[in-house]
Amino acid sequence: MKRFECAYFIVKHGWASRILHYAREHDIFGGTIFYGTGTVKSSVLHMLSLDKTEKEIVIMAAEKTYTRYIMEMLSEELKMKKDHHGIAFGIPVAGFIGGVHREKEDGEEEDENMYNAVIVVLEKGKAEDALEAAQSAGADGGVIINARGAGRHETNKFMFMDIEPEKEILLMITPREKTDDISKAIDAKMNISKPGHGIMMIQEVSKIYGVSIYNITTG
């Protein structure tokens, strides 16, 4: 049975097109680009108003060995082991339709999950409060992505047109042992458990490349 992943690349502004171009050169097609703001936990940078940087997020979905191939290749090409050169990670998915796949390799070992992706969807303007709560529980930083709600009960009327409220998505990669404390801190401050106060999802990260923007060490 094939296993699938979503490969995420979080890089500095202007690098997303390089990732897609490099992928196409290696017969890897398809991908989605999002734009967000990265945060750095540093009092000095905060004083200089340099603690927020523009980020681009690229998502590609394919069979697991295929995403590992592209993540490893791009990790080397973009020198992600260096500070501030970005991060790449994979998240398992139950199924995938479309795209290009590689066949499962024989003898493939299971991954040891050491990190989780914490994804919080909130009303616009509240992601920074959630990040502050997460940092109080040990998170180093994250990426805030602008988005729009599209739920059945989330639209308002203006001049007979549906207006979808703007949303923010907070995306963080956290060590597994800290995830529970971080998610509880976010819930306590943002009341996520109450209806209409947002959504928080926690997913296992099966593979990670690069360390700089989250100050995470992968050993």
Side-chain angles (χ1 to χ4, degrees):
M1 180 179 178
K2 289 184 178 181
R3 289 177 290 177
F4 299 89
E5 277 187 338
C6 273
Y8 289 72
F9 299 86
I10 302 177
V11 294
K12 62 185 180 181
H13 183 70
W15 281 27
S17 58
R18 290 179 58 186
I19 290 175
L20 294 180
H21 178 74
Y22 185 82
R24 285 194 295 268
E25 287 183 340
H26 291 79
D27 297 323
I28 301 167
F29 301 96
T32 302
I33 300 175
F34 298 90
Y35 300 95
T37 302
T39 61
V40 179
K41 192 177 181 180
S42 168
S43 57
V44 175
L45 291 177
H46 181 72
M47 286 191 300
L48 297 174
S49 299
L50 297 174
D51 55 338
K52 296 180 181 179
T53 57
E54 292 183 355
K55 297 293 180 185
E56 293 180 336
I57 303 95
V58 182
I59 302 177
M60 301 177 183
E63 198 271 326
K64 177 181 174 180
T65 53
Y66 202 74
T67 58
R68 294 299 170 82
Y69 169 75
I70 186 60
M71 283 193 292
E72 186 171 349
M73 294 285 284
L74 285 170
S75 176
E76 292 294 326
E77 174 72 13
L78 299 177
K79 298 179 174 58
M80 287 186 175
K81 292 183 179 180
K82 294 185 176 181
D83 289 343
H84 311 298
H85 276 227
I87 188 171
F89 58 94
I91 293 179
V93 297
F96 179 71
I97 299 174
V100 183
H101 312 299
R102 282 187 168 191
E103 293 297 325
K104 181 178 181 298
E105 296 178 358
D106 294 333
E108 183 181 340
E109 297 181 357
E110 293 293 331
D111 298 306
E112 181 182 357
N113 172 39
M114 298 176 63
Y115 303 97
N116 290 319
V118 180
I119 302 169
V120 191
V121 182
L122 298 159
E123 296 296 330
K124 184 174 177 62
K126 294 185 177 182
E128 289 194 9
D129 291 336
L131 177 60
E132 183 179 316
Q135 289 177 326
S136 71
D140 288 305
V143 175
I144 297 174
I145 307 166
N146 292 318
R148 291 193 304 167
R152 183 177 58 183
H153 303 296
E154 293 182 321
T155 59
N156 296 315
K157 291 285 186 179
F158 177 73
M159 296 295 290
F160 306 103
M161 295 185 296
D162 287 331
I163 304 299
E164 297 173 348
E166 293 188 11
K167 304 287 184 180
E168 287 180 340
I169 300 171
L170 173 61
L171 170 60
M172 297 176 291
I173 302 299
T174 64
R176 182 175 56 184
E177 64 273 13
K178 292 185 178 181
T179 301
D180 190 50
D181 289 340
I182 290 171
S183 61
K184 286 179 178 177
I186 294 172
D187 186 23
K189 184 166 186 176
M190 309 305 298
N191 294 316
I192 300 293
S193 299
K194 295 182 179 180
H197 284 238
I199 299 171
M200 178 161 51
M201 297 170 284
I202 299 171
Q203 296 177 296
E204 294 184 351
V205 173
S206 51
K207 190 70 174 180
I208 188 168
Y209 299 83
V211 299
S212 59
I213 68 170
Y214 291 104
N215 298 322
I216 295 175
T217 55
T218 57

